[in-house]
Amino acid sequence: MLMDLLSKAATVAMLSFVVSSMLAMGAGLTISQIFEPLRNARLVVLALMANFVLMPLGAFALSKVLWLDEPFGVGLLVLGCSAGAPFLPKLAQLASGNLAFAVGAMVLLMVVTVGYLPAVLPLLLPGVTVDPWNIARSLILLMLLPLAAGLALKARYEDLARRVKSVLDSISNVSLILLISLITAANIDKVLQVFGTRGILAGLLFIALGFGVGWLLGGPEADTKRVMALGTAQRNIAAALVVASQSFSDPKVVVMVVVVAIVGLIILMPLSRTLANR
C-alpha cells in the first residue's frame, strides 16, 4: 500500500513538473526564439542522427555485448528509440545551455518520436505493435499545450508572463526534487530486481554513450554542445513507458525503463550543475 501511494505521489509530481516547466519555458520565450536555432540544418540533422540512429544502435549493441536478459535489452532499445525528454529544458537551464535550442530540440525530437516509434520498433522487434495516438496524446496534453499556452501569454501579456514565470519556475524546481525522491522510493524494489543482471551497468553505459555522442555532434558552441549532450543522454521516459507498458507483457521491460530513468536523473542533474560551473 505504501508503494502504491508513493507511485501515485510520483505521478502527481511528474505532472506538476512537466506542466509547470513547459508553461514556464513558454512564458520566457517567443516562437521565433525557439525556431531560430533550428534553422541550422546541419545541427538539426546531427541531432536527429544522434537520437534516432546512433542511440538505437548503441542500445542494441550494449544489450548484446553485456548479454542482457531479452526483456532488459528490449527496454533499453525502446529507450534508444524515444527522444525529446521533457526534462531537457530544465537540464539545459541548470547547465547554462542554450534554452531556446533546448526547447526547440525537445519539440522537434518529441514530434519525430511519435512517428518514429510506431514505424521503426516493429521492424526491430517483429510482432510488436505500437499505437502512435497513445504516445501522442500524453505528449500533446502535457507538453505541447502548456508550452503553447505559455507562448501565448508571453506574446499577449509580457509583464504578466514575467511574473508568472518566476512562480512557475519555483513550482517546477520543487516538483522535480519531489519527483526524483518519490520515483526512487516507489521503485526501489524494481531497482533491486536489476542488481546482478548487468542492467544498471547497461543503463550507466547507455547514458554515458548518449552524453558523449551528443557532445561530439553538438557543434563548436559550448551552450549548444551542452544541450545536445544532455538531450541525447536523457531519453523520453514518458513515450518509452507508454510503449513498454502497452506493447510488452513481460514486466521486466517496464522495470528497465524505470531503472534507466532513475539512473539518468540522478546522474544528469548534478552533471548539469557541473557544466554550468565550468
Side-chain angles (χ1 to χ4, degrees):
M1 184 176 179
L2 177 60
M3 290 300 182
D4 186 51
L5 289 174
L6 288 172
S7 180
K8 290 179 179 178
T11 300
V12 173
M14 168 73 87
L15 294 174
S16 175
F17 167 72
V18 173
V19 173
S20 62
S21 60
M22 290 300 101
L23 281 168
M25 297 304 163
L29 295 168
T30 64
I31 294 177
S32 61
Q33 285 177 319
I34 293 174
F35 284 100
E36 179 63 30
L38 298 182
R39 292 182 179 180
N40 186 333
R42 178 178 178 275
L43 197 59
V44 169
V45 170
L46 289 175
L48 294 174
M49 184 175 72
N51 282 277
F52 297 112
V53 177
L54 299 180
M55 289 307 287
L57 288 176
F60 180 79
L62 284 172
S63 66
K64 297 302 180 183
V65 171
L66 296 177
W67 292 83
L68 289 181
D69 291 347
E70 184 177 356
F72 291 144
V74 169
L76 199 64
L77 184 59
V78 171
L79 283 165
C81 296
S82 305
F87 299 101
L88 177 56
K90 177 60 69 176
L91 292 173
Q93 189 177 45
L94 292 173
S96 297
N98 186 324
L99 186 56
F101 175 60
V103 176
M106 179 201 69
V107 173
L108 172 66
L109 296 174
M110 184 174 58
V111 170
V112 174
T113 293
V114 172
Y116 180 85
L117 273 172
V120 173
L121 208 56
L123 299 177
L124 300 176
L125 300 169
V128 173
T129 56
V130 179
D131 186 351
W133 172 239
N134 284 335
I135 302 171
R137 181 172 51 193
S138 62
L139 298 180
I140 291 171
L141 292 177
L142 299 179
M143 297 175 67
L144 291 184
L145 286 181
L147 178 64
L151 289 168
L153 181 65
K154 166 78 170 179
R156 194 170 181 86
Y157 306 104
E158 188 169 352
D159 291 338
L160 177 60
R162 189 181 302 111
R163 293 195 296 271
V164 168
K165 184 180 185 304
S166 63
V167 176
L168 291 170
D169 282 333
S170 298
I171 295 173
S172 173
N173 292 334
V174 173
S175 298
L176 181 58
I177 294 171
L178 287 173
L179 175 61
I180 295 173
S181 303
L182 290 169
I183 197 173
T184 303
N187 294 281
I188 190 65
D189 56 332
K190 295 178 181 178
V191 175
L192 294 176
Q193 292 177 24
V194 182
F195 277 99
T197 65
R198 296 180 296 278
I200 292 181
L201 175 61
L204 289 169
L205 293 175
F206 181 70
I207 293 166
L209 173 67
F211 189 88
V213 166
W215 188 269
L216 290 174
L217 300 182
E221 301 295 332
D223 59 346
T224 304
K225 189 182 288 286
R226 293 172 185 177
V227 171
M228 185 82 92
L230 293 167
T232 308
Q234 179 64 58
R235 311 309 291 163
N236 191 328
I237 307 303
L241 281 175
V242 169
V243 174
S245 60
Q246 295 185 1
S247 301
F248 302 96
S249 58
D250 195 321
K252 289 183 179 179
V253 178
V254 174
V255 169
M256 187 62 180
V257 171
V258 170
V259 167
V260 176
I262 294 172
V263 172
L265 286 174
I266 291 174
I267 291 175
L268 295 176
M269 289 296 293
L271 181 58
S272 299
R273 289 286 191 184
T274 303
L275 290 173
N277 292 333
R278 290 184 60 190

